[in-house]
Every structure is written in structure tokens, then in C-alpha cells.
Amino acid sequence: MPEDFLSFNTVSYVLPNGFELLSDVSFHLGAGEKAALIGTNGCGKTTLFRLAQKELVPQSGTIYSGERPAFLPQNIVLDQTVAQALGIDGILNALDCIENGQTSPELFDLVGQRWDIKTETKKALTDFGLIGIDLASSFAELSGGEREKILLLRIFLSQAALLMFDEPTNNLDEASRNAFYAYVDQTPKTILLISHDRMLLERMNCLYELAGGKVKKYGGNYTFYQNIKEKEKNRLEEQKSRLDNETARLIGNHRKIEDSGGKQKRAAEKRIENRKYTKMQANFMKSAAQESKAKKIRKIEEKLTRSQEELNAVKLSLRNEQIKIPVPDKPFLKDKVLELSELSFGFGSRLLFDRLNLILKGGDRLRIQGPNGCGKTTLLRLILGQLQPTRGQALLYGKAAYLSQNLDLPDENGSILNNIQQINPMISVNEAYAAAANFLFRNKDALKIVSTLSGGERLKAALAAVLGIKNQPDLLILDEPTNNLDIQSAQILENALKAYQGTLILVSHDQFFMENIGECHVLNLG
């Protein structure tokens, strides 16, 4: 086997509570392959990665990798230099020793073919917007965003032939995402990543879908995967139609046989009256007929059970319930919804905005974009009145709602229903239940505790509180809403925003998401 080959053979993994998360998983990652592992949040993707990285041990099955892959460790050490964080300090030290005249074979072995590591590293830092960072500087003194980019570059700069990334583009700005895409396109190394970034998934030549504890391979990029899934859906629709017809036919036959019993009984009684049969003969024939009827009914019931079980399985596979956004009880504002007038703001000597002017009217959609640290979230906080400008003003007309990156809700220990009521204190309990049901939390599901929700459920709960009611906001503000969402949840959000008729402000680096929700005005910062 090539040394960068990764192979799972009938691997199973059981959680401490006894739930089998992975069941007989088998797949084989070939040399040079660029593959993504996709699936809903909580399906076991990160667990599968940790198994591949030898951090977990499966209950059964075997995992083979030609060498230890490069990946981010669970615990990041802050007390180190940038060079150490990049994993190149050993090579740099060896180069310094050689330049100072040392000729130990171990030093040359350590450098290998990487004599241009300094140039390679400088280019990588520049590509990711990390200009001017000294390799000897403290890793701990970098910002969170800078540290995250350094750790991604650690994987690219490693000498491992297999690179593994878990949601690598989540917190990258547009320029850094493009740099990451370019590295993925250019590297000859084998890549396996977890991602819901559909622009990144388009660059893969293979997708592995994890669902129900099993892995299924799709030999192409995201568009190829979508086309195959659409064909699978059409096939299931045809199968459902056939099973519906078969079930109806079997039920009809069952009724006919049941009805025929009464006719046979009346016919036998008539023959006895006409003295064609003795009572004993009639009873014998009746018994034989009943036995034949019972056999037929048993056969039909067995077929009907199989047909209904198959039909239920198909319906489950096709299940794609749609959220509902109710018709608002009042029209949205048509005139000014937001006005920024000569707005200025900064931190200390750093000025983020200087005399910013903006007017949004009813139904307008605005995308705020710019590099990390340029003030996008700060501007949202100024609009919402959470910060006060140093000059000018932000005037907000009508009702506004805000969904943060973390989809925060007022009470983590409260139910979905309670949170909907806290955000909308004027609505009744029945209206709160209706709002929850609009986003697929029906009956007892509305009583789920927020802290136990998956990422997708949390999104739907937050949307239910904002858009599931009739008194919807005139302005909806979202800050990087797809960062922690799986693909299915991102699509739910896209559908919700396409249906929402009010004014929208979005901060997002997710180009695929932005294209799917329709045309927006753009405000560039930084």
C-alpha cells in the first residue's frame, strides 16, 4: 500500500452510553485523493477523524494508515514561538547550525530537501494575510484569528503525505478562504477534510457521506454529489409511488376476500334449503372454504406488512419537512428601516469607521464584507445600540432581531417554548407552540432544553423565535450564520431567508450561501 493510504475496514465505535455511532464502516482513501467527509452535525465525523488519528480505539475493525497524518491536536499550546506552532523550528535550527559551519549528518537529514523553508513559510504567511509576523515571536500574543491561520499552515507545511482538516474555513475571511482553496488545489498531497463549505467541497474529487453509522462514497465533487442525490430521490419517489399502488391493491384484495365470505355462507344456506347438499356436506365445504380464505388473507397480510415496512423506510429516506414562515400580521416597513448618519467609531487610536452614511429601506438586503478585524461585528453592535458611536448616529426604525454566530438564546437551561416566549413576551402559549411547530418542533419537541440541541436544532429554535411568529421583525441581522451549520441546516436557513420579506443585513464569508439567498447590496469595510 502507498504510505499515504488510509483504510477503514469494518470499523465500529460505541459511545460510553452504549450508542453505536459507527457501524462496520469501510472506506479506502487513495494516494493523491482530495476527499471530504460530510454529514449532519452529531453523526460521528469528528469521532471518525479521531479514530484515524489514533486518538480513539474502535470496538472492532481495523484502521491502516501508511504514516501518521498531519492534523491539529486537540490541546493547543500557547506558550511557544510561531516557528514551533508551525512545526518548523527543528528545521530552522538545523539550517542555522549548518550556516554556522556545523556538518553533522543528522542536521542534513533533518533539513532534507527543504532548504527553502524560510521562503516557503514567508509566502504562506503572506498568502494568509499574516504579513510581518516574526517566526521567533510569541504565539500566545497573536490574535485568535491569527493563531487559527498559523495552525492551518502548520498542516500545509508539514512533511506528512496525508493532511487532515476539521472545518478549516469556518472562521476565515474571504481572502484567507481563497488562499486555503489555492493551497488545496495546488498540493499533490492526499487530503481528507470535514467541511460544510460548499465552495471547498467543489474542489474535492471524492465525498464520503456519513449517515446512520455508515459511510457511502460519491466519486466526485459537491455538484456531482448533488446530482446523484437528486437521482436517488427521484428513484425513491418512483418506488414510493409503486409501493403506494401495491399497498392499495393488497388492501382492496383483503376486503374482497372478507366480503366473499358472507356471499359463500349465503350460497351454502340456499343450497341446503334447496336440498342440494346435506348439512354435513355443507359444513365440510364451509370449513374448507374458511380455511382457504384464511390462507389467502394470511398471504395478503404478510405481503401487506412487507409492503408497508418498505414504504415506511422509503418515506423516512425522503423525509424533508419544510419550515413555514407565517404571513405577518402587519406589513413590513416600506420606507426607511435603518439610517447611519456620519457614523464614526474606533478603539483607542484605531478608527474603524469615519463618517459612514447609509440608508436601508423596506425589503433591502445588505451584505457587509471585509477582512477579519475590520469592524463588521462592531458595526452590527452600533446598529443595535449595544455600542455608542464617537460621532454621528445610527437610527433604527421598527422592530429588529439579531442572530449571532453562536445562535445565542436567552435561557440555555430553558425549553425552546420558554425561549420563544422570552424573546416575544406578548404572545400566548399557543402562539409560542405554533411558532415552534413552524420550524418543525411539534408538540413535546417544543419542550426540548436548549442546551441539549444540536447545531441544526439550535438554528431552527432561534429562527422559530424570530420568524416563526406573526409579529416578525422589520430588520433581521445575521453575523456569520453558517459557521457552525451542516449543509442541511444551511439550506434550511437559505429557504427561511428567501421566504422572509423584511430587510436583511448579513455578515458572511460563505459565498455559496450568499449566492443562494439572492441579490444583495454590498458594503465593503477595511
Side-chain angles (χ1 to χ4, degrees):
M1 285 186 180
E3 61 181 8
D4 55 349
F5 194 90
L6 177 67
S7 177
F8 272 57
N9 299 289
T10 61
V11 171
S12 295
Y13 185 79
V14 179
L15 295 175
N17 64 6
F19 178 74
E20 189 175 43
L21 188 63
L22 303 176
S23 175
D24 290 334
V25 167
S26 294
F27 69 91
H28 309 281
L29 188 66
E33 199 166 357
K34 293 176 182 176
L37 181 65
I38 61 173
T40 58
N41 289 344
C43 71
K45 300 186 296 294
T46 298
T47 297
L48 189 148
F49 258 42
R50 293 184 68 193
L51 286 164
Q53 294 158 1
K54 312 297 185 188
E55 291 184 1
L56 295 175
V57 178
Q59 267 72 25
S60 62
T62 57
I63 301 170
Y64 173 86
S65 58
E67 63 172 59
R68 185 170 174 81
F71 58 90
L72 294 185
Q74 290 289 309
N75 299 311
I76 306 301
V77 177
L78 294 179
D79 186 17
Q80 59 181 334
T81 66
V82 171
Q84 288 172 323
L86 287 168
I88 60 171
D89 55 307
I91 301 175
L92 293 178
N93 291 337
L95 278 172
D96 287 341
C97 291
I98 292 170
E99 287 172 1
N100 289 326
Q102 296 185 37
T103 58
S104 167
E106 289 81 7
L107 294 174
F108 286 89
D109 288 341
L110 192 55
V111 174
Q113 301 299 315
R114 307 191 72 182
W115 296 97
D116 60 348
I117 185 64
K118 291 182 181 178
T119 302
E120 182 185 354
T121 303
K122 184 178 180 181
K123 180 182 183 305
L125 292 171
T126 301
D127 288 344
F128 277 78
L130 301 171
I131 300 169
I133 289 182
D134 188 344
L135 294 178
S137 63
S138 169
F139 180 65
E141 292 178 3
L142 300 180
S143 70
E146 288 171 334
R147 289 200 295 263
E148 185 165 348
K149 291 177 185 179
I150 291 289
L151 293 172
L152 286 178
L153 287 175
R154 175 191 180 96
I155 299 177
F156 278 122
L157 292 172
S158 76
Q159 298 186 68
L162 172 60
L163 312 181
M164 299 181 71
F165 299 92
D166 191 347
E167 298 289 2
T169 60
N170 261 12
N171 299 306
L172 298 183
D173 56 32
E174 188 171 358
S176 297
R177 282 191 181 210
N178 289 335
F180 186 89
Y181 298 155
Y183 270 71
V184 167
D185 292 341
Q186 293 163 13
T187 183
K189 296 181 178 182
T190 304
I191 289 178
L192 179 62
L193 54 83
I194 296 171
S195 182
H196 64 269
D197 179 346
R198 288 164 285 183
M199 297 292 281
L200 178 56
L201 296 179
E202 283 293 343
R203 291 170 155 77
M204 300 295 103
N205 53 35
C206 181
L207 299 186
Y208 292 95
E209 182 181 53
L210 177 57
K214 305 284 187 183
V215 168
K216 184 175 181 180
K217 181 177 181 178
Y218 293 84
N221 63 6
Y222 182 68
T223 297
F224 176 85
Y225 165 79
Q226 279 189 306
N227 291 337
I228 295 296
K229 295 297 282 187
E230 187 62 29
K231 288 177 182 176
E232 288 179 357
K233 181 183 175 185
N234 292 338
R235 178 181 58 77
L236 287 171
E237 292 281 8
E238 291 172 3
Q239 189 178 354
K240 178 180 176 295
S241 178
R242 177 182 63 77
L243 288 168
D244 279 334
N245 293 334
E246 177 68 5
T247 301
R249 184 185 69 79
L250 290 170
I251 291 172
N253 288 346
H254 190 284
R255 285 177 182 158
K256 283 180 184 176
I257 292 172
E258 288 282 5
D259 292 343
S260 69
K263 292 179 181 177
Q264 288 172 348
K265 181 181 177 183
R266 289 192 296 274
E269 288 172 350
K270 193 169 184 181
R271 289 189 182 100
I272 292 171
E273 286 177 12
N274 296 335
R275 300 184 183 278
K276 288 185 178 180
Y277 298 128
T278 65
K279 193 166 186 179
M280 184 178 292
Q281 288 173 320
N283 285 340
F284 175 77
M285 293 181 69
K286 178 182 176 184
S287 178
Q290 285 175 337
E291 188 176 339
S292 174
K293 172 187 167 185
K295 283 182 180 177
K296 288 180 181 178
I297 287 177
R298 272 198 305 274
K299 273 191 174 182
I300 287 176
E301 286 177 343
E302 286 171 3
K303 285 183 179 179
L304 187 56
T305 299
R306 286 196 299 270
S307 178
Q308 287 177 330
E309 286 175 352
E310 195 177 346
L311 181 58
N312 288 337
V314 170
K315 284 180 177 177
L316 191 62
S317 298
L318 283 170
R319 189 173 64 182
N320 183 22
E321 295 182 283
Q322 296 295 312
I323 59 173
K324 288 195 305 182
I325 296 182
V327 176
D329 57 7
K330 64 175 182 60
F332 292 107
L333 286 177
K334 292 182 180 179
D335 295 326
K336 274 195 258 187
V337 174
L338 173 68
E339 182 177 7
L340 305 183
S341 177
E342 300 291 301
L343 187 74
S344 300
F345 186 82
F347 293 104
S349 60
R350 185 187 175 206
L351 189 63
L352 288 175
F353 318 113
D354 185 22
R355 300 189 178 188
L356 180 61
N357 292 288
L358 174 74
I359 292 176
L360 288 182
K361 295 186 176 180
D364 282 348
R365 297 187 164 211
L366 176 71
R367 178 186 184 184
I368 301 174
Q369 63 182 27
N372 289 345
C374 70
K376 300 184 294 294
T377 300
T378 300
L379 180 57
L380 299 184
R381 294 184 65 194
L382 287 163
I383 290 170
L384 292 164
Q386 297 173 359
L387 291 174
Q388 295 303 312
T390 53
R391 178 176 180 169
Q393 58 184 348
L395 297 175
L396 188 58
Y397 305 91
K399 181 183 176 184
Y402 172 62
L403 292 185
S404 68
Q405 292 184 35
N406 298 322
L407 300 170
D408 295 319
L409 288 163
D411 185 3
E412 285 290 309
N413 297 316
S415 68
I416 295 169
L417 189 73
N418 290 340
N419 276 273
I420 291 174
Q421 288 181 291
Q422 284 189 48
I423 294 172
N424 304 281
M426 302 302 291
I427 67 173
S428 67
V429 174
N430 285 342
E431 287 172 323
Y433 266 112
N438 285 333
F439 283 80
L440 310 180
F441 295 109
R442 298 190 177 94
N443 304 319
K444 289 183 179 179
D445 283 346
L447 302 178
K448 286 184 176 180
I449 302 302
V450 166
S451 61
T452 67
L453 300 179
S454 68
E457 287 176 323
R458 179 178 283 270
L459 166 73
K460 289 186 286 187
L463 288 173
V466 173
L467 300 181
I469 59 173
K470 290 188 175 181
N471 183 20
Q472 294 167 25
D474 298 291
L475 173 62
L476 180 59
I477 302 173
L478 298 99
D479 189 359
E480 296 289 1
T482 62
N483 265 10
N484 301 306
L485 300 182
D486 54 43
I487 293 173
Q488 186 178 12
S489 300
Q491 290 170 336
I492 288 173
L493 179 59
E494 287 166 4
N495 291 334
L497 296 182
K498 283 190 279 192
Y500 173 63
Q501 298 299 308
T503 305
L504 189 63
I505 296 178
L506 278 161
V507 172
S508 179
H509 297 302
D510 187 337
Q511 190 61 34
F512 208 102
F513 168 74
M514 292 304 305
E515 289 174 2
N516 282 350
I517 65 168
E519 189 174 346
C520 292
H521 302 294
V522 177
L523 174 62
N524 284 301
L525 299 179

